[in-house]
mmCIF file of all heavy atoms in Angstrom:
data_model
loop_
_atom_site.group_PDB
_atom_site.id
_atom_site.type_symbol
_atom_site.label_atom_id
_atom_site.label_comp_id
_atom_site.label_asym_id
_atom_site.label_seq_id
_atom_site.Cartn_x
_atom_site.Cartn_y
_atom_site.Cartn_z
ATOM 1 N N PHE A 145 127.389 39.396 187.858
ATOM 2 C CA PHE A 145 125.977 39.686 188.109
ATOM 3 C C PHE A 145 125.448 38.793 189.231
ATOM 4 O O PHE A 145 124.612 39.205 190.029
ATOM 5 C CB PHE A 145 125.149 39.445 186.841
ATOM 6 C CG PHE A 145 125.417 40.423 185.732
ATOM 7 C CD1 PHE A 145 126.060 40.016 184.568
ATOM 8 C CD2 PHE A 145 125.037 41.742 185.845
ATOM 9 C CE1 PHE A 145 126.303 40.904 183.537
ATOM 10 C CE2 PHE A 145 125.275 42.659 184.822
ATOM 11 C CZ PHE A 145 125.917 42.236 183.664
ATOM 12 N N ALA A 146 125.944 37.561 189.293
ATOM 13 C CA ALA A 146 125.419 36.566 190.235
ATOM 14 C C ALA A 146 125.659 36.928 191.697
ATOM 15 O O ALA A 146 124.983 36.407 192.579
ATOM 16 C CB ALA A 146 126.051 35.198 189.946
ATOM 17 N N THR A 148 124.961 39.613 193.172
ATOM 18 C CA THR A 148 123.821 40.377 193.691
ATOM 19 C C THR A 148 122.561 39.795 193.074
ATOM 20 O O THR A 148 121.917 40.410 192.234
ATOM 21 C CB THR A 148 123.961 41.881 193.371
ATOM 22 O OG1 THR A 148 124.361 42.045 192.001
ATOM 23 C CG2 THR A 148 124.985 42.537 194.261
ATOM 24 N N ARG A 149 122.264 38.601 193.491
ATOM 25 C CA ARG A 149 121.151 37.847 192.925
ATOM 26 C C ARG A 149 119.830 38.594 193.075
ATOM 27 O O ARG A 149 119.514 39.127 194.132
ATOM 28 C CB ARG A 149 121.064 36.486 193.633
ATOM 29 C CG ARG A 149 120.101 35.522 193.007
ATOM 30 C CD ARG A 149 120.264 34.158 193.638
ATOM 31 N NE ARG A 149 119.194 33.254 193.287
ATOM 32 C CZ ARG A 149 119.086 32.027 193.754
ATOM 33 N NH1 ARG A 149 119.984 31.563 194.591
ATOM 34 N NH2 ARG A 149 118.093 31.259 193.385
ATOM 35 N N GLY A 150 119.067 38.640 191.993
ATOM 36 C CA GLY A 150 117.784 39.332 191.976
ATOM 37 C C GLY A 150 117.895 40.765 191.496
ATOM 38 O O GLY A 150 116.885 41.379 191.136
ATOM 39 N N ARG A 151 119.114 41.306 191.502
ATOM 40 C CA ARG A 151 119.335 42.696 191.078
ATOM 41 C C ARG A 151 119.244 42.811 189.560
ATOM 42 O O ARG A 151 118.888 43.856 189.030
ATOM 43 C CB ARG A 151 120.707 43.157 191.565
ATOM 44 C CG ARG A 151 121.119 44.569 191.126
ATOM 45 C CD ARG A 151 120.319 45.639 191.838
ATOM 46 N NE ARG A 151 120.724 46.970 191.418
ATOM 47 C CZ ARG A 151 121.710 47.675 191.956
ATOM 48 N NH1 ARG A 151 122.415 47.160 192.954
ATOM 49 N NH2 ARG A 151 121.990 48.875 191.520
ATOM 50 N N PHE A 152 119.577 41.738 188.855
ATOM 51 C CA PHE A 152 119.608 41.758 187.389
ATOM 52 C C PHE A 152 118.741 40.609 186.854
ATOM 53 O O PHE A 152 119.257 39.611 186.341
ATOM 54 C CB PHE A 152 121.047 41.625 186.890
ATOM 55 C CG PHE A 152 121.990 42.611 187.519
ATOM 56 C CD1 PHE A 152 122.806 42.241 188.575
ATOM 57 C CD2 PHE A 152 122.039 43.923 187.059
ATOM 58 C CE1 PHE A 152 123.674 43.152 189.160
ATOM 59 C CE2 PHE A 152 122.905 44.842 187.644
ATOM 60 C CZ PHE A 152 123.713 44.456 188.700
ATOM 61 N N PRO A 153 117.422 40.723 187.000
ATOM 62 C CA PRO A 153 116.523 39.606 186.718
ATOM 63 C C PRO A 153 116.555 39.079 185.287
ATOM 64 O O PRO A 153 116.352 37.881 185.072
ATOM 65 C CB PRO A 153 115.139 40.166 187.074
ATOM 66 C CG PRO A 153 115.296 41.651 186.985
ATOM 67 C CD PRO A 153 116.687 41.921 187.432
ATOM 68 N N LEU A 154 116.810 39.943 184.298
ATOM 69 C CA LEU A 154 116.839 39.449 182.922
ATOM 70 C C LEU A 154 118.229 38.926 182.555
ATOM 71 O O LEU A 154 118.356 37.922 181.853
ATOM 72 C CB LEU A 154 116.417 40.539 181.935
ATOM 73 C CG LEU A 154 116.102 40.043 180.511
ATOM 74 C CD1 LEU A 154 114.967 39.015 180.540
ATOM 75 C CD2 LEU A 154 115.735 41.186 179.606
ATOM 76 N N MET A 155 119.262 39.575 183.030
ATOM 77 C CA MET A 155 120.626 39.132 182.729
ATOM 78 C C MET A 155 120.913 37.750 183.308
ATOM 79 O O MET A 155 121.812 37.045 182.847
ATOM 80 C CB MET A 155 121.646 40.141 183.270
ATOM 81 C CG MET A 155 121.604 41.514 182.611
ATOM 82 S SD MET A 155 121.859 41.459 180.811
ATOM 83 C CE MET A 155 123.558 40.900 180.724
ATOM 84 N N GLU A 156 120.126 37.339 184.289
ATOM 85 C CA GLU A 156 120.325 36.019 184.899
ATOM 86 C C GLU A 156 120.131 34.878 183.901
ATOM 87 O O GLU A 156 120.615 33.769 184.125
ATOM 88 C CB GLU A 156 119.369 35.822 186.082
ATOM 89 C CG GLU A 156 119.771 36.592 187.331
ATOM 90 C CD GLU A 156 118.868 36.298 188.516
ATOM 91 O OE1 GLU A 156 117.907 35.515 188.354
ATOM 92 O OE2 GLU A 156 119.112 36.849 189.599
ATOM 93 N N VAL A 157 119.460 35.153 182.808
ATOM 94 C CA VAL A 157 119.245 34.108 181.810
ATOM 95 C C VAL A 157 120.579 33.559 181.307
ATOM 96 O O VAL A 157 120.691 32.379 180.962
ATOM 97 C CB VAL A 157 118.395 34.635 180.626
ATOM 98 C CG1 VAL A 157 119.178 35.637 179.785
ATOM 99 C CG2 VAL A 157 117.911 33.473 179.741
ATOM 100 N N LEU A 158 121.592 34.403 181.275
ATOM 101 C CA LEU A 158 122.899 33.987 180.757
ATOM 102 C C LEU A 158 123.550 32.914 181.618
ATOM 103 O O LEU A 158 124.370 32.130 181.129
ATOM 104 C CB LEU A 158 123.837 35.191 180.664
ATOM 105 C CG LEU A 158 123.422 36.276 179.674
ATOM 106 C CD1 LEU A 158 124.299 37.514 179.851
ATOM 107 C CD2 LEU A 158 123.517 35.761 178.234
ATOM 108 N N ASP A 159 123.190 32.874 182.901
ATOM 109 C CA ASP A 159 123.813 31.936 183.833
ATOM 110 C C ASP A 159 123.123 30.582 183.894
ATOM 111 O O ASP A 159 123.549 29.694 184.650
ATOM 112 C CB ASP A 159 123.843 32.551 185.244
ATOM 113 C CG ASP A 159 124.759 33.765 185.334
ATOM 114 O OD1 ASP A 159 125.312 34.170 184.300
ATOM 115 O OD2 ASP A 159 124.898 34.311 186.437
ATOM 116 N N LEU A 160 122.071 30.415 183.131
ATOM 117 C CA LEU A 160 121.336 29.142 183.153
ATOM 118 C C LEU A 160 122.184 27.995 182.595
ATOM 119 O O LEU A 160 123.052 28.212 181.742
ATOM 120 C CB LEU A 160 120.039 29.270 182.350
ATOM 121 C CG LEU A 160 118.966 30.189 182.947
ATOM 122 C CD1 LEU A 160 117.833 30.395 181.944
ATOM 123 C CD2 LEU A 160 118.434 29.619 184.258
ATOM 124 N N MET A 162 122.756 25.880 180.227
ATOM 125 C CA MET A 162 122.351 25.604 178.853
ATOM 126 C C MET A 162 123.399 24.863 178.041
ATOM 127 O O MET A 162 123.230 24.670 176.837
ATOM 128 C CB MET A 162 121.985 26.913 178.151
ATOM 129 C CG MET A 162 120.771 27.611 178.742
ATOM 130 S SD MET A 162 120.282 29.026 177.733
ATOM 131 C CE MET A 162 118.852 29.611 178.628
ATOM 132 N N TYR A 164 126.979 25.625 177.750
ATOM 133 C CA TYR A 164 128.003 26.436 177.083
ATOM 134 C C TYR A 164 129.253 25.577 176.847
ATOM 135 O O TYR A 164 129.747 24.935 177.774
ATOM 136 C CB TYR A 164 128.395 27.633 177.947
ATOM 137 C CG TYR A 164 127.337 28.701 178.059
ATOM 138 C CD1 TYR A 164 126.421 28.699 179.112
ATOM 139 C CD2 TYR A 164 127.259 29.731 177.130
ATOM 140 C CE1 TYR A 164 125.458 29.686 179.231
ATOM 141 C CE2 TYR A 164 126.302 30.732 177.239
ATOM 142 C CZ TYR A 164 125.403 30.700 178.283
ATOM 143 O OH TYR A 164 124.441 31.685 178.409
ATOM 144 N N VAL A 173 128.097 35.344 173.507
ATOM 145 C CA VAL A 173 126.654 35.270 173.738
ATOM 146 C C VAL A 173 126.219 36.343 174.730
ATOM 147 O O VAL A 173 125.186 37.001 174.544
ATOM 148 C CB VAL A 173 126.243 33.871 174.243
ATOM 149 C CG1 VAL A 173 124.813 33.880 174.784
ATOM 150 C CG2 VAL A 173 126.358 32.844 173.124
ATOM 151 N N ALA A 174 127.003 36.563 175.784
ATOM 152 C CA ALA A 174 126.661 37.574 176.791
ATOM 153 C C ALA A 174 126.557 38.960 176.163
ATOM 154 O O ALA A 174 125.607 39.715 176.425
ATOM 155 C CB ALA A 174 127.700 37.569 177.908
ATOM 156 N N PHE A 177 123.595 39.132 173.673
ATOM 157 C CA PHE A 177 122.329 39.224 174.399
ATOM 158 C C PHE A 177 122.096 40.649 174.899
ATOM 159 O O PHE A 177 121.005 41.200 174.746
ATOM 160 C CB PHE A 177 122.317 38.251 175.575
ATOM 161 C CG PHE A 177 121.046 38.308 176.386
ATOM 162 C CD1 PHE A 177 119.939 37.559 176.009
ATOM 163 C CD2 PHE A 177 120.949 39.118 177.509
ATOM 164 C CE1 PHE A 177 118.754 37.621 176.749
ATOM 165 C CE2 PHE A 177 119.780 39.191 178.240
ATOM 166 C CZ PHE A 177 118.682 38.441 177.854
ATOM 167 N N TYR A 178 123.126 41.246 175.481
ATOM 168 C CA TYR A 178 122.966 42.607 175.996
ATOM 169 C C TYR A 178 122.630 43.590 174.875
ATOM 170 O O TYR A 178 121.741 44.435 175.018
ATOM 171 C CB TYR A 178 124.231 43.076 176.718
ATOM 172 C CG TYR A 178 124.128 44.522 177.135
ATOM 173 C CD1 TYR A 178 123.296 44.904 178.190
ATOM 174 C CD2 TYR A 178 124.806 45.517 176.429
ATOM 175 C CE1 TYR A 178 123.158 46.238 178.536
ATOM 176 C CE2 TYR A 178 124.676 46.854 176.782
ATOM 177 C CZ TYR A 178 123.844 47.206 177.833
ATOM 178 O OH TYR A 178 123.698 48.535 178.164
ATOM 179 N N GLN A 179 123.319 43.473 173.757
ATOM 180 C CA GLN A 179 123.056 44.363 172.627
ATOM 181 C C GLN A 179 121.648 44.193 172.092
ATOM 182 O O GLN A 179 121.002 45.159 171.658
ATOM 183 C CB GLN A 179 124.076 44.119 171.513
ATOM 184 C CG GLN A 179 125.494 44.525 171.869
ATOM 185 C CD GLN A 179 125.618 46.008 172.181
ATOM 186 O OE1 GLN A 179 124.947 46.844 171.581
ATOM 187 N NE2 GLN A 179 126.480 46.351 173.130
ATOM 188 N N GLN A 180 121.153 42.976 172.140
ATOM 189 C CA GLN A 180 119.827 42.700 171.596
ATOM 190 C C GLN A 180 118.714 43.157 172.534
ATOM 191 O O GLN A 180 117.692 43.694 172.103
ATOM 192 C CB GLN A 180 119.680 41.201 171.317
ATOM 193 C CG GLN A 180 118.363 40.812 170.664
ATOM 194 C CD GLN A 180 118.354 39.356 170.215
ATOM 195 O OE1 GLN A 180 119.392 38.752 169.989
ATOM 196 N NE2 GLN A 180 117.176 38.788 170.088
ATOM 197 N N PHE A 181 118.904 42.970 173.854
ATOM 198 C CA PHE A 181 117.827 43.242 174.804
ATOM 199 C C PHE A 181 118.020 44.556 175.585
ATOM 200 O O PHE A 181 117.040 45.114 176.087
ATOM 201 C CB PHE A 181 117.703 42.084 175.807
ATOM 202 C CG PHE A 181 117.047 40.861 175.241
ATOM 203 C CD1 PHE A 181 117.782 39.932 174.522
ATOM 204 C CD2 PHE A 181 115.685 40.638 175.406
ATOM 205 C CE1 PHE A 181 117.192 38.792 173.995
ATOM 206 C CE2 PHE A 181 115.076 39.504 174.883
ATOM 207 C CZ PHE A 181 115.826 38.578 174.171
ATOM 208 N N THR A 182 119.265 45.041 175.700
ATOM 209 C CA THR A 182 119.602 46.238 176.494
ATOM 210 C C THR A 182 118.688 46.376 177.728
ATOM 211 O O THR A 182 117.896 47.324 177.813
ATOM 212 C CB THR A 182 119.521 47.524 175.649
ATOM 213 O OG1 THR A 182 118.209 47.632 175.063
ATOM 214 C CG2 THR A 182 120.573 47.530 174.570
ATOM 215 N N PRO A 183 118.780 45.459 178.677
ATOM 216 C CA PRO A 183 117.892 45.468 179.851
ATOM 217 C C PRO A 183 117.974 46.768 180.639
ATOM 218 O O PRO A 183 119.055 47.321 180.858
ATOM 219 C CB PRO A 183 118.418 44.287 180.689
ATOM 220 C CG PRO A 183 119.126 43.404 179.715
ATOM 221 C CD PRO A 183 119.742 44.341 178.729
ATOM 222 N N ARG A 184 116.836 47.253 181.079
ATOM 223 C CA ARG A 184 116.766 48.504 181.830
ATOM 224 C C ARG A 184 117.510 48.401 183.160
ATOM 225 O O ARG A 184 117.917 49.414 183.732
ATOM 226 C CB ARG A 184 115.305 48.865 182.091
ATOM 227 C CG ARG A 184 114.528 49.230 180.822
ATOM 228 C CD ARG A 184 113.075 49.518 181.129
ATOM 229 N NE ARG A 184 112.926 50.622 182.067
ATOM 230 C CZ ARG A 184 111.757 50.996 182.597
ATOM 231 N NH1 ARG A 184 110.649 50.338 182.279
ATOM 232 N NH2 ARG A 184 111.705 52.014 183.435
ATOM 233 N N GLU A 185 117.697 47.185 183.652
ATOM 234 C CA GLU A 185 118.365 46.993 184.937
ATOM 235 C C GLU A 185 119.823 47.463 184.928
ATOM 236 O O GLU A 185 120.447 47.576 185.986
ATOM 237 C CB GLU A 185 118.306 45.515 185.346
ATOM 238 C CG GLU A 185 118.956 44.567 184.355
ATOM 239 C CD GLU A 185 118.277 43.204 184.285
ATOM 240 O OE1 GLU A 185 117.033 43.138 184.174
ATOM 241 O OE2 GLU A 185 119.003 42.199 184.353
ATOM 242 N N LEU A 186 120.350 47.758 183.735
ATOM 243 C CA LEU A 186 121.721 48.258 183.622
ATOM 244 C C LEU A 186 121.765 49.729 183.194
ATOM 245 O O LEU A 186 122.833 50.243 182.852
ATOM 246 C CB LEU A 186 122.510 47.410 182.619
ATOM 247 C CG LEU A 186 122.872 46.003 183.098
ATOM 248 C CD1 LEU A 186 123.405 45.156 181.945
ATOM 249 C CD2 LEU A 186 123.892 46.060 184.208
ATOM 250 N N LEU A 194 130.867 42.929 178.432
ATOM 251 C CA LEU A 194 130.632 41.789 179.315
ATOM 252 C C LEU A 194 131.589 40.660 178.939
ATOM 253 O O LEU A 194 132.108 40.622 177.832
ATOM 254 C CB LEU A 194 129.186 41.298 179.196
ATOM 255 C CG LEU A 194 128.078 42.351 179.325
ATOM 256 C CD1 LEU A 194 126.708 41.699 179.129
ATOM 257 C CD2 LEU A 194 128.146 43.067 180.658
ATOM 258 N N LEU A 224 122.372 31.571 190.078
ATOM 259 C CA LEU A 224 121.563 30.462 189.589
ATOM 260 C C LEU A 224 122.265 29.118 189.726
ATOM 261 O O LEU A 224 121.619 28.068 189.722
ATOM 262 C CB LEU A 224 121.175 30.704 188.127
ATOM 263 C CG LEU A 224 120.057 31.735 187.923
ATOM 264 C CD1 LEU A 224 119.873 32.036 186.443
ATOM 265 C CD2 LEU A 224 118.742 31.251 188.513
ATOM 266 N N ALA A 286 128.032 35.290 183.987
ATOM 267 C CA ALA A 286 128.275 36.504 183.208
ATOM 268 C C ALA A 286 128.852 37.586 184.111
ATOM 269 O O ALA A 286 128.441 37.739 185.268
ATOM 270 C CB ALA A 286 126.983 36.982 182.570
ATOM 271 N N PHE A 362 113.059 30.033 185.986
ATOM 272 C CA PHE A 362 113.496 31.363 185.576
ATOM 273 C C PHE A 362 112.517 31.979 184.595
ATOM 274 O O PHE A 362 112.122 33.138 184.722
ATOM 275 C CB PHE A 362 114.880 31.316 184.926
ATOM 276 C CG PHE A 362 115.217 32.581 184.184
ATOM 277 C CD1 PHE A 362 115.732 33.668 184.852
ATOM 278 C CD2 PHE A 362 114.945 32.701 182.823
ATOM 279 C CE1 PHE A 362 115.996 34.864 184.177
ATOM 280 C CE2 PHE A 362 115.209 33.884 182.143
ATOM 281 C CZ PHE A 362 115.734 34.970 182.824
ATOM 282 N N THR A 363 112.120 31.197 183.595
ATOM 283 C CA THR A 363 111.216 31.691 182.551
ATOM 284 C C THR A 363 109.908 32.178 183.140
ATOM 285 O O THR A 363 109.432 33.281 182.825
ATOM 286 C CB THR A 363 110.948 30.580 181.522
ATOM 287 O OG1 THR A 363 112.191 30.117 180.990
ATOM 288 C CG2 THR A 363 110.079 31.089 180.387
ATOM 289 N N ALA A 364 109.321 31.355 184.018
ATOM 290 C CA ALA A 364 108.039 31.708 184.627
ATOM 291 C C ALA A 364 108.161 32.959 185.491
ATOM 292 O O ALA A 364 107.302 33.849 185.443
ATOM 293 C CB ALA A 364 107.515 30.540 185.460
ATOM 294 N N ALA A 365 109.239 33.038 186.274
ATOM 295 C CA ALA A 365 109.423 34.183 187.171
ATOM 296 C C ALA A 365 109.627 35.473 186.388
ATOM 297 O O ALA A 365 109.067 36.521 186.730
ATOM 298 C CB ALA A 365 110.602 33.930 188.100
ATOM 299 N N ALA A 366 110.428 35.401 185.328
ATOM 300 C CA ALA A 366 110.688 36.592 184.517
ATOM 301 C C ALA A 366 109.419 37.053 183.810
ATOM 302 O O ALA A 366 109.100 38.247 183.779
ATOM 303 C CB ALA A 366 111.792 36.306 183.503
ATOM 304 N N ASP A 367 108.694 36.117 183.237
ATOM 305 C CA ASP A 367 107.443 36.459 182.551
ATOM 306 C C ASP A 367 106.446 37.099 183.522
ATOM 307 O O ASP A 367 105.741 38.052 183.168
ATOM 308 C CB ASP A 367 106.822 35.210 181.922
ATOM 309 C CG ASP A 367 107.569 34.732 180.684
ATOM 310 O OD1 ASP A 367 108.367 35.514 180.136
ATOM 311 O OD2 ASP A 367 107.356 33.573 180.268
ATOM 312 N N ALA A 368 106.404 36.577 184.749
ATOM 313 C CA ALA A 368 105.475 37.101 185.750
ATOM 314 C C ALA A 368 105.802 38.542 186.131
ATOM 315 O O ALA A 368 104.919 39.307 186.530
ATOM 316 C CB ALA A 368 105.503 36.223 186.999
ATOM 317 N N LYS A 369 107.078 38.927 185.987
ATOM 318 C CA LYS A 369 107.502 40.292 186.298
ATOM 319 C C LYS A 369 107.322 41.235 185.114
ATOM 320 O O LYS A 369 107.659 42.411 185.198
ATOM 321 C CB LYS A 369 108.974 40.296 186.710
ATOM 322 C CG LYS A 369 109.251 39.584 188.019
ATOM 323 C CD LYS A 369 110.757 39.544 188.284
ATOM 324 C CE LYS A 369 111.066 38.772 189.559
ATOM 325 N NZ LYS A 369 112.531 38.650 189.783
ATOM 326 N N GLY A 370 106.789 40.709 184.021
ATOM 327 C CA GLY A 370 106.614 41.533 182.834
ATOM 328 C C GLY A 370 107.858 41.607 181.979
ATOM 329 O O GLY A 370 107.936 42.424 181.046
ATOM 330 N N LEU A 371 108.830 40.753 182.278
ATOM 331 C CA LEU A 371 110.058 40.691 181.489
ATOM 332 C C LEU A 371 109.921 39.628 180.406
ATOM 333 O O LEU A 371 109.147 38.674 180.565
ATOM 334 C CB LEU A 371 111.255 40.357 182.393
ATOM 335 C CG LEU A 371 111.574 41.366 183.488
ATOM 336 C CD1 LEU A 371 112.620 40.800 184.448
ATOM 337 C CD2 LEU A 371 112.064 42.667 182.882
ATOM 338 N N PRO A 372 110.655 39.756 179.315
ATOM 339 C CA PRO A 372 110.559 38.768 178.230
ATOM 340 C C PRO A 372 111.356 37.496 178.537
ATOM 341 O O PRO A 372 112.309 37.163 177.852
ATOM 342 C CB PRO A 372 111.149 39.533 177.030
ATOM 343 C CG PRO A 372 112.153 40.445 177.640
ATOM 344 C CD PRO A 372 111.558 40.879 178.957
ATOM 345 N N GLY A 373 110.940 36.787 179.581
ATOM 346 C CA GLY A 373 111.660 35.593 180.010
ATOM 347 C C GLY A 373 111.698 34.502 178.964
ATOM 348 O O GLY A 373 112.762 33.947 178.665
ATOM 349 N N THR A 374 110.533 34.179 178.406
ATOM 350 C CA THR A 374 110.448 33.122 177.397
ATOM 351 C C THR A 374 111.306 33.469 176.186
ATOM 352 O O THR A 374 112.074 32.638 175.687
ATOM 353 C CB THR A 374 108.993 32.903 176.958
ATOM 354 O OG1 THR A 374 108.201 32.513 178.098
ATOM 355 C CG2 THR A 374 108.901 31.815 175.889
ATOM 356 N N LYS A 375 111.192 34.702 175.729
ATOM 357 C CA LYS A 375 111.981 35.145 174.578
ATOM 358 C C LYS A 375 113.469 35.128 174.901
ATOM 359 O O LYS A 375 114.293 34.716 174.068
ATOM 360 C CB LYS A 375 111.560 36.547 174.157
ATOM 361 C CG LYS A 375 112.312 37.074 172.941
ATOM 362 C CD LYS A 375 111.848 38.478 172.567
ATOM 363 C CE LYS A 375 112.629 38.999 171.351
ATOM 364 N NZ LYS A 375 112.199 40.386 170.994
ATOM 365 N N ALA A 376 113.824 35.546 176.109
ATOM 366 C CA ALA A 376 115.236 35.594 176.507
ATOM 367 C C ALA A 376 115.863 34.209 176.488
ATOM 368 O O ALA A 376 116.991 34.025 176.017
ATOM 369 C CB ALA A 376 115.366 36.210 177.892
ATOM 370 N N VAL A 377 115.141 33.221 176.986
ATOM 371 C CA VAL A 377 115.658 31.844 176.998
ATOM 372 C C VAL A 377 115.837 31.320 175.581
ATOM 373 O O VAL A 377 116.880 30.759 175.228
ATOM 374 C CB VAL A 377 114.720 30.913 177.798
ATOM 375 C CG1 VAL A 377 115.101 29.447 177.570
ATOM 376 C CG2 VAL A 377 114.787 31.241 179.286
ATOM 377 N N LYS A 378 114.821 31.519 174.758
ATOM 378 C CA LYS A 378 114.895 31.031 173.376
ATOM 379 C C LYS A 378 116.026 31.701 172.601
ATOM 380 O O LYS A 378 116.751 31.043 171.843
ATOM 381 C CB LYS A 378 113.554 31.260 172.670
ATOM 382 C CG LYS A 378 112.421 30.372 173.183
ATOM 383 C CD LYS A 378 111.129 30.637 172.429
ATOM 384 C CE LYS A 378 110.019 29.726 172.914
ATOM 385 N NZ LYS A 378 108.733 30.003 172.202
ATOM 386 N N GLU A 379 116.168 33.012 172.772
ATOM 387 C CA GLU A 379 117.218 33.728 172.049
ATOM 388 C C GLU A 379 118.601 33.327 172.532
ATOM 389 O O GLU A 379 119.542 33.230 171.731
ATOM 390 C CB GLU A 379 117.023 35.234 172.204
ATOM 391 C CG GLU A 379 115.843 35.789 171.432
ATOM 392 C CD GLU A 379 115.924 35.488 169.937
ATOM 393 O OE1 GLU A 379 117.009 35.666 169.352
ATOM 394 O OE2 GLU A 379 114.911 35.062 169.360
ATOM 395 N N THR A 380 118.741 33.095 173.832
ATOM 396 C CA THR A 380 120.031 32.661 174.362
ATOM 397 C C THR A 380 120.406 31.298 173.808
ATOM 398 O O THR A 380 121.571 31.063 173.425
ATOM 399 C CB THR A 380 120.003 32.625 175.903
ATOM 400 O OG1 THR A 380 119.656 33.917 176.403
ATOM 401 C CG2 THR A 380 121.360 32.220 176.462
#
Side-chain angles (χ1 to χ4, degrees):
F145 292 111
T148 45
R149 189 171 168 183
R151 177 71 180 273
F152 308 99
L154 193 59
M155 295 302 294
E156 285 184 358
V157 70
L158 296 170
D159 294 4
L160 292 171
M162 295 187 179
Y164 289 93
V173 167
F177 179 86
Y178 174 72
Q179 293 299 325
Q180 184 171 337
F181 284 84
T182 56
R184 293 177 60 186
E185 59 213 48
L186 288 169
L194 310 178
L224 284 173
F362 165 84
T363 304
D367 287 344
K369 293 175 183 176
L371 298 170
T374 300
K375 181 180 179 181
V377 168
K378 290 181 178 179
E379 288 303 315
T380 303

